[in-house]
Amino acid sequence: MNTHRPGRRTRAMTVGDLSRQTGVTVKALREYTDLGLIYTLGRSPANYRLYDTDALWCVRFIGELRGLGLTVAEIRDLTTAYLDSPDRPVGSHLAELLHRSRERLRQRITAQQQILDRIDEFETEHQHHLEEGDLCWAGDPRCEA
């Protein structure tokens, strides 16, 4: 998405300005720019990265996709597909990425539920020791008599 649009009048923002307006860290914005995910105006004579209002949209869009569980690599893949074939819709590609994200989340939820189940079992099994504050059940060698 890294482009310059001649003839368009806009106030240029530095990466710090963009960070303040979006709440995204400067480090993340630099990474997004280096990956070609954010529109830029290029660099200032002092070598500062410059952005226009298009960058605000890019950052919000990246945030929306990240909020849906997409990885930065997947977002880059999506934008690359769009740039490689701008006349071809990317909706089906996005749908596939959302499907992958959903599956990752389901796997994480399953793993977290398994931990919750183990906590429940542990508490049930060791309820007396937990109520008494007794750690001898844990194999503490200081409790050996």
Side-chain angles (χ1 to χ4, degrees), residues 2-4 13 39-44 47-51:
N2 205 7
T3 105
H4 171 68
M13 295 178 279
Y39 294 115
T40 71
L41 295 171
R43 293 202 176 245
S44 72
N47 206 29
Y48 289 105
R49 297 168 195 247
L50 297 175
Y51 303 90

Side-chain angles (χ1 to χ4, degrees), residues 2-145:
N2 205 7
T3 105
H4 171 68
R5 296 185 179 173
R8 190 169 171 184
R9 309 240 351 138
T10 183
R11 182 185 164 274
M13 295 178 279
T14 64
V15 70
D17 296 331
L18 185 59
S19 175
R20 280 186 287 284
Q21 288 192 41
T22 61
V24 176
T25 65
V26 169
K27 181 179 179 182
L29 293 172
R30 287 183 179 137
E31 177 186 354
Y32 296 161
T33 301
D34 292 344
L35 291 171
L37 299 177
I38 301 178
Y39 294 115
T40 71
L41 295 171
R43 293 202 176 245
S44 72
N47 206 29
Y48 289 105
R49 297 168 195 247
L50 297 175
Y51 303 90
D52 65 8
T53 54
D54 286 345
L56 294 169
W57 177 86
C58 290
V59 173
R60 287 185 188 112
F61 187 63
I62 292 166
E64 179 76 20
L65 295 175
R66 294 286 289 144
L68 294 171
L70 270 66
T71 65
V72 173
E74 289 171 330
I75 296 168
R76 185 173 185 211
D77 183 44
L78 181 66
T79 58
T80 300
Y82 171 75
L83 291 174
D84 288 348
S85 302
D87 55 328
R88 224 163 90 203
V90 294
S92 60
H93 190 72
L94 177 56
E96 174 58 31
L97 294 174
L98 291 171
H99 175 75
R100 283 190 218 163
S101 177
R102 182 179 289 109
E103 288 307 309
R104 278 193 305 268
L105 289 170
R106 283 185 178 143
Q107 289 173 3
R108 285 189 213 143
I109 290 168
T110 298
Q112 296 300 309
Q113 187 59 55
Q114 289 170 349
I115 293 171
L116 285 172
D117 293 345
R118 285 197 309 268
I119 290 171
D120 291 342
E121 289 171 18
F122 186 92
E123 286 178 331
T124 299
E125 185 178 334
H126 300 288
Q127 181 177 3
H128 176 73
H129 296 290
L130 293 170
E131 289 172 358
E132 298 295 319
D134 178 13
L135 291 180
C136 287
W137 54 268
D140 186 343
R142 295 174 293 175
C143 297
E144 304 276 327

